[in-house]
PDB file of all heavy atoms in Angstrom:
ATOM      1  N   ASP B 225      88.119 247.548 127.258  1.00 98.00           N
ATOM      2  CA  ASP B 225      88.759 248.672 126.624  1.00 98.00           C
ATOM      3  C   ASP B 225      88.284 248.738 125.175  1.00 98.00           C
ATOM      4  O   ASP B 225      88.764 247.944 124.323  1.00 98.00           O
ATOM      5  CB  ASP B 225      90.276 248.558 126.712  1.00 98.00           C
ATOM      6  CG  ASP B 225      91.018 249.748 126.105  1.00 98.00           C
ATOM      7  OD1 ASP B 225      90.420 250.568 125.339  1.00 98.00           O
ATOM      8  OD2 ASP B 225      92.197 249.910 126.383  1.00 98.00           O
ATOM      9  N   ASN B 226      87.328 249.571 124.902  1.00 98.00           N
ATOM     10  CA  ASN B 226      86.720 249.607 123.564  1.00 98.00           C
ATOM     11  C   ASN B 226      87.710 250.175 122.508  1.00 98.00           C
ATOM     12  O   ASN B 226      87.517 249.892 121.325  1.00 98.00           O
ATOM     13  CB  ASN B 226      85.417 250.400 123.573  1.00 98.00           C
ATOM     14  CG  ASN B 226      84.265 249.677 124.217  1.00 98.00           C
ATOM     15  OD1 ASN B 226      84.326 248.452 124.441  1.00 98.00           O
ATOM     16  ND2 ASN B 226      83.276 250.395 124.598  1.00 98.00           N
ATOM     17  N   THR B 227      88.747 250.906 122.907  1.00 98.00           N
ATOM     18  CA  THR B 227      89.715 251.404 121.997  1.00 98.00           C
ATOM     19  C   THR B 227      90.610 250.281 121.480  1.00 98.00           C
ATOM     20  O   THR B 227      91.254 250.399 120.408  1.00 98.00           O
ATOM     21  CB  THR B 227      90.558 252.502 122.599  1.00 98.00           C
ATOM     22  OG1 THR B 227      91.342 251.909 123.638  1.00 98.00           O
ATOM     23  CG2 THR B 227      89.699 253.615 123.151  1.00 98.00           C
ATOM     24  N   LYS B 228      90.671 249.212 122.302  1.00 98.00           N
ATOM     25  CA  LYS B 228      91.530 248.074 121.908  1.00 98.00           C
ATOM     26  C   LYS B 228      90.688 246.798 121.648  1.00 98.00           C
ATOM     27  O   LYS B 228      91.291 245.704 121.542  1.00 98.00           O
ATOM     28  CB  LYS B 228      92.542 247.814 122.988  1.00 98.00           C
ATOM     29  CG  LYS B 228      93.522 249.005 123.204  1.00 98.00           C
ATOM     30  CD  LYS B 228      94.553 248.704 124.245  1.00 98.00           C
ATOM     31  CE  LYS B 228      95.523 249.847 124.373  1.00 98.00           C
ATOM     32  NZ  LYS B 228      96.553 249.631 125.440  1.00 98.00           N
ATOM     33  N   ASN B 229      89.392 246.912 121.595  1.00 98.00           N
ATOM     34  CA  ASN B 229      88.525 245.805 121.339  1.00 98.00           C
ATOM     35  C   ASN B 229      88.815 244.634 122.279  1.00 98.00           C
ATOM     36  O   ASN B 229      88.914 243.478 121.840  1.00 98.00           O
ATOM     37  CB  ASN B 229      88.647 245.299 119.876  1.00 98.00           C
ATOM     38  CG  ASN B 229      88.031 246.280 118.909  1.00 98.00           C
ATOM     39  OD1 ASN B 229      87.225 247.170 119.247  1.00 98.00           O
ATOM     40  ND2 ASN B 229      88.524 246.235 117.694  1.00 98.00           N
ATOM     41  N   SER B 230      88.954 244.927 123.546  1.00 98.00           N
ATOM     42  CA  SER B 230      89.417 243.933 124.502  1.00 98.00           C
ATOM     43  C   SER B 230      88.507 243.884 125.737  1.00 98.00           C
ATOM     44  O   SER B 230      88.056 244.954 126.199  1.00 98.00           O
ATOM     45  CB  SER B 230      90.821 244.203 124.907  1.00 98.00           C
ATOM     46  OG  SER B 230      91.702 244.019 123.870  1.00 98.00           O
ATOM     47  N   LEU B 231      88.333 242.650 126.251  1.00 98.00           N
ATOM     48  CA  LEU B 231      87.576 242.401 127.502  1.00 98.00           C
ATOM     49  C   LEU B 231      88.494 241.736 128.464  1.00 98.00           C
ATOM     50  O   LEU B 231      89.417 241.036 128.037  1.00 98.00           O
ATOM     51  CB  LEU B 231      86.453 241.497 127.086  1.00 98.00           C
ATOM     52  CG  LEU B 231      85.537 240.951 128.184  1.00 98.00           C
ATOM     53  CD1 LEU B 231      84.597 242.125 128.661  1.00 98.00           C
ATOM     54  CD2 LEU B 231      84.678 239.750 127.730  1.00 98.00           C
ATOM     55  N   PHE B 232      88.265 242.053 129.780  1.00 98.00           N
ATOM     56  CA  PHE B 232      89.144 241.560 130.751  1.00 98.00           C
ATOM     57  C   PHE B 232      88.377 240.992 131.942  1.00 98.00           C
ATOM     58  O   PHE B 232      87.249 241.453 132.240  1.00 98.00           O
ATOM     59  CB  PHE B 232      90.086 242.671 131.317  1.00 98.00           C
ATOM     60  CG  PHE B 232      90.853 243.406 130.218  1.00 98.00           C
ATOM     61  CD1 PHE B 232      90.432 244.616 129.764  1.00 98.00           C
ATOM     62  CD2 PHE B 232      91.952 242.863 129.687  1.00 98.00           C
ATOM     63  CE1 PHE B 232      91.131 245.264 128.790  1.00 98.00           C
ATOM     64  CE2 PHE B 232      92.692 243.444 128.667  1.00 98.00           C
ATOM     65  CZ  PHE B 232      92.208 244.719 128.220  1.00 98.00           C
ATOM     66  N   LEU B 233      88.955 240.047 132.649  1.00 98.00           N
ATOM     67  CA  LEU B 233      88.424 239.542 133.917  1.00 98.00           C
ATOM     68  C   LEU B 233      89.566 239.461 134.887  1.00 98.00           C
ATOM     69  O   LEU B 233      90.474 238.657 134.734  1.00 98.00           O
ATOM     70  CB  LEU B 233      87.759 238.168 133.721  1.00 98.00           C
ATOM     71  CG  LEU B 233      87.007 237.689 134.987  1.00 98.00           C
ATOM     72  CD1 LEU B 233      85.799 238.520 135.246  1.00 98.00           C
ATOM     73  CD2 LEU B 233      86.575 236.215 134.845  1.00 98.00           C
ATOM     74  N   GLN B 234      89.593 240.438 135.846  1.00 98.00           N
ATOM     75  CA  GLN B 234      90.582 240.376 136.893  1.00 98.00           C
ATOM     76  C   GLN B 234      90.024 239.551 138.005  1.00 98.00           C
ATOM     77  O   GLN B 234      88.987 239.718 138.544  1.00 98.00           O
ATOM     78  CB  GLN B 234      90.833 241.811 137.430  1.00 98.00           C
ATOM     79  CG  GLN B 234      91.796 241.879 138.567  1.00 98.00           C
ATOM     80  CD  GLN B 234      93.217 241.563 138.113  1.00 98.00           C
ATOM     81  OE1 GLN B 234      93.700 241.905 137.089  1.00 98.00           O
ATOM     82  NE2 GLN B 234      93.960 240.742 138.960  1.00 98.00           N
ATOM     83  N   MET B 235      90.809 238.498 138.364  1.00 98.00           N
ATOM     84  CA  MET B 235      90.317 237.488 139.371  1.00 98.00           C
ATOM     85  C   MET B 235      91.294 237.530 140.550  1.00 98.00           C
ATOM     86  O   MET B 235      92.536 237.346 140.367  1.00 98.00           O
ATOM     87  CB  MET B 235      90.305 236.130 138.735  1.00 98.00           C
ATOM     88  CG  MET B 235      89.441 236.020 137.454  1.00 98.00           C
ATOM     89  SD  MET B 235      89.288 234.318 136.874  1.00 98.00           S
ATOM     90  CE  MET B 235      90.934 234.026 136.374  1.00 98.00           C
ATOM     91  N   GLU B 236      90.745 237.752 141.684  1.00 98.00           N
ATOM     92  CA  GLU B 236      91.568 237.809 142.909  1.00 98.00           C
ATOM     93  C   GLU B 236      91.017 236.883 143.977  1.00 98.00           C
ATOM     94  O   GLU B 236      89.847 236.484 143.867  1.00 98.00           O
ATOM     95  CB  GLU B 236      91.657 239.277 143.454  1.00 98.00           C
ATOM     96  CG  GLU B 236      92.317 240.197 142.408  1.00 98.00           C
ATOM     97  CD  GLU B 236      92.336 241.673 142.875  1.00 98.00           C
ATOM     98  OE1 GLU B 236      91.773 241.933 143.921  1.00 98.00           O
ATOM     99  OE2 GLU B 236      92.907 242.468 142.176  1.00 98.00           O
ATOM    100  N   GLY B 237      91.783 236.552 144.957  1.00 98.00           N
ATOM    101  CA  GLY B 237      91.313 235.679 146.015  1.00 98.00           C
ATOM    102  C   GLY B 237      90.844 234.339 145.476  1.00 98.00           C
ATOM    103  O   GLY B 237      89.828 233.790 145.883  1.00 98.00           O
ATOM    104  N   LEU B 238      91.567 233.779 144.490  1.00 98.00           N
ATOM    105  CA  LEU B 238      91.165 232.575 143.800  1.00 98.00           C
ATOM    106  C   LEU B 238      91.031 231.448 144.750  1.00 98.00           C
ATOM    107  O   LEU B 238      91.861 231.235 145.663  1.00 98.00           O
ATOM    108  CB  LEU B 238      92.066 232.254 142.641  1.00 98.00           C
ATOM    109  CG  LEU B 238      91.796 233.204 141.414  1.00 98.00           C
ATOM    110  CD1 LEU B 238      92.972 233.207 140.455  1.00 98.00           C
ATOM    111  CD2 LEU B 238      90.493 232.795 140.704  1.00 98.00           C
ATOM    112  N   ARG B 239      90.055 230.559 144.465  1.00 98.00           N
ATOM    113  CA  ARG B 239      89.757 229.398 145.239  1.00 98.00           C
ATOM    114  C   ARG B 239      89.760 228.152 144.344  1.00 98.00           C
ATOM    115  O   ARG B 239      89.633 228.286 143.129  1.00 98.00           O
ATOM    116  CB  ARG B 239      88.379 229.507 145.916  1.00 98.00           C
ATOM    117  CG  ARG B 239      88.168 230.797 146.689  1.00 98.00           C
ATOM    118  CD  ARG B 239      86.689 230.971 147.034  1.00 98.00           C
ATOM    119  NE  ARG B 239      86.446 232.201 147.808  1.00 98.00           N
ATOM    120  CZ  ARG B 239      85.279 232.693 147.930  1.00 98.00           C
ATOM    121  NH1 ARG B 239      84.163 232.152 147.424  1.00 98.00           N
ATOM    122  NH2 ARG B 239      85.104 233.812 148.722  1.00 98.00           N
ATOM    123  N   ALA B 240      89.918 227.007 144.949  1.00 98.00           N
ATOM    124  CA  ALA B 240      89.906 225.769 144.198  1.00 98.00           C
ATOM    125  C   ALA B 240      88.673 225.664 143.332  1.00 98.00           C
ATOM    126  O   ALA B 240      88.731 225.149 142.205  1.00 98.00           O
ATOM    127  CB  ALA B 240      90.029 224.597 145.152  1.00 98.00           C
ATOM    128  N   GLU B 241      87.556 226.112 143.849  1.00 98.00           N
ATOM    129  CA  GLU B 241      86.291 225.999 143.129  1.00 98.00           C
ATOM    130  C   GLU B 241      86.227 226.939 141.919  1.00 98.00           C
ATOM    131  O   GLU B 241      85.230 226.906 141.179  1.00 98.00           O
ATOM    132  CB  GLU B 241      85.088 226.190 144.040  1.00 98.00           C
ATOM    133  CG  GLU B 241      85.137 227.468 144.838  1.00 98.00           C
ATOM    134  CD  GLU B 241      85.692 227.280 146.246  1.00 98.00           C
ATOM    135  OE1 GLU B 241      86.598 226.439 146.410  1.00 98.00           O
ATOM    136  OE2 GLU B 241      85.250 227.955 147.206  1.00 98.00           O
ATOM    137  N   ASP B 242      87.181 227.812 141.755  1.00 98.00           N
ATOM    138  CA  ASP B 242      87.217 228.703 140.536  1.00 98.00           C
ATOM    139  C   ASP B 242      87.931 227.995 139.386  1.00 98.00           C
ATOM    140  O   ASP B 242      87.969 228.542 138.258  1.00 98.00           O
ATOM    141  CB  ASP B 242      87.932 229.989 140.836  1.00 98.00           C
ATOM    142  CG  ASP B 242      87.257 230.844 141.910  1.00 98.00           C
ATOM    143  OD1 ASP B 242      85.975 230.952 141.805  1.00 98.00           O
ATOM    144  OD2 ASP B 242      87.966 231.378 142.779  1.00 98.00           O
TER     145      ASP B 242
END
Side-chain angles (χ1 to χ4, degrees):
Chain B
D225 183 343
N226 287 344
T227 66
K228 296 181 179 178
N229 292 337
S230 295
L231 177 71
F232 306 101
L233 186 69
Q234 179 68 41
M235 305 186 293
E236 299 176 356
L238 283 161
R239 306 167 180 165
E241 54 265 36
D242 296 318

